[in-house]
Amino acid sequence: MRLSPALLLCAALLLPVMRAEAGVTHVEANRTRNRLILWNGTTQIASFHAAFGSFVAAKQREGDRATPIGRYTLSPARQSQQWRWFMPIDYPNATDVAAGRTGGAIGIHGTGGSTFAGAMHFLGVNWTAGCIAVSNADLETIRTLITSSVPIEISF
C-alpha cells in the first residue's frame, strides 16, 4: 500500500503532538553527549543540546562548578528572575547527604537574557555552575512537556 504525500505530511505534523500527549515518564541527561532526552517509557519524545557544569567531575560540594551524577527527581518549572524558568533537581538527595556531598540550587534552566550564557551555549561549551542548561526556546518546550515531577538520571 502506497501512502499519499498529504497523508505523510499530516502524520509528520501530528507525531510531535501525539508524543507530547503521551507524557514524559523520565529524563536522561548525558554530559558526554551534551544531551537532555525526554522519554515516555522506551519511546524518545525529544532530545535537546545541553550544557553542564564547567568542572568535569561529579558534584561533591557547594561551589565546585560540577554537575551531580546519579538519579534524582526533576520538578516542574518555576519562574526565575535570572533564567526566566528554572526546573529544580532534588540535589542533594539522601544518597548525596550520606556521602557528605553539599550544595543546592541545581536544576535545568535556559540562558536567560545573558549574552555570555547564550554565546557559550551556542559554542557548545559546558559553562554552568553545576546546573544543566538548554536554550531558552528549548526550555519553553520542555516546561510544557513536564508538568509534574519525574525521575532524571544524570550521567557522564
Side-chain angles (χ1 to χ4, degrees):
M1 178 175 137
R2 187 170 178 267
L3 298 176
S4 73
L7 183 58
L8 289 173
L9 177 61
C10 286
L13 292 173
L14 287 175
L15 186 59
V17 173
M18 293 186 306
R19 285 184 174 175
E21 288 175 358
V24 175
T25 58
H26 63 285
V27 176
E28 174 189 346
N30 184 286
R31 182 187 171 95
T32 302
R33 293 180 23 223
N34 285 88
R35 301 305 294 172
L36 183 72
I37 304 169
L38 309 184
W39 295 90
N40 177 281
T42 58
T43 303
Q44 183 176 312
I45 295 172
S47 178
F48 305 94
H49 170 73
F52 293 80
S54 59
F55 186 69
V56 184
K59 185 156 203 63
Q60 298 297 314
R61 62 179 171 73
E62 179 79 30
D64 65 7
R65 301 194 62 82
T67 301
I69 301 299
R71 291 190 171 112
Y72 299 94
T73 300
L74 175 66
S75 296
R78 63 177 191 226
Q79 289 189 313
S80 164
Q81 193 169 2
Q82 183 176 8
W83 305 114
R84 296 185 190 150
W85 297 101
F86 183 81
M87 301 179 76
I89 293 172
D90 71 332
Y91 174 87
N93 61 21
T95 303
D96 295 313
V97 171
R101 297 184 191 108
T102 62
I106 298 293
I108 298 173
H109 59 73
T111 57
S114 168
T115 304
F116 170 80
M120 293 295 100
H121 194 75
F122 177 78
L123 294 171
V125 174
N126 285 321
W127 57 270
T128 76
C131 289
I132 300 167
V134 295
S135 72
N136 289 333
D138 287 347
L139 188 59
E140 288 296 327
T141 300
I142 294 165
R143 76 179 191 86
T144 62
L145 293 173
I146 299 177
T147 57
S148 62
S149 294
V150 296
I152 181 171
E153 182 164 356
I154 307 169
S155 65
F156 275 109

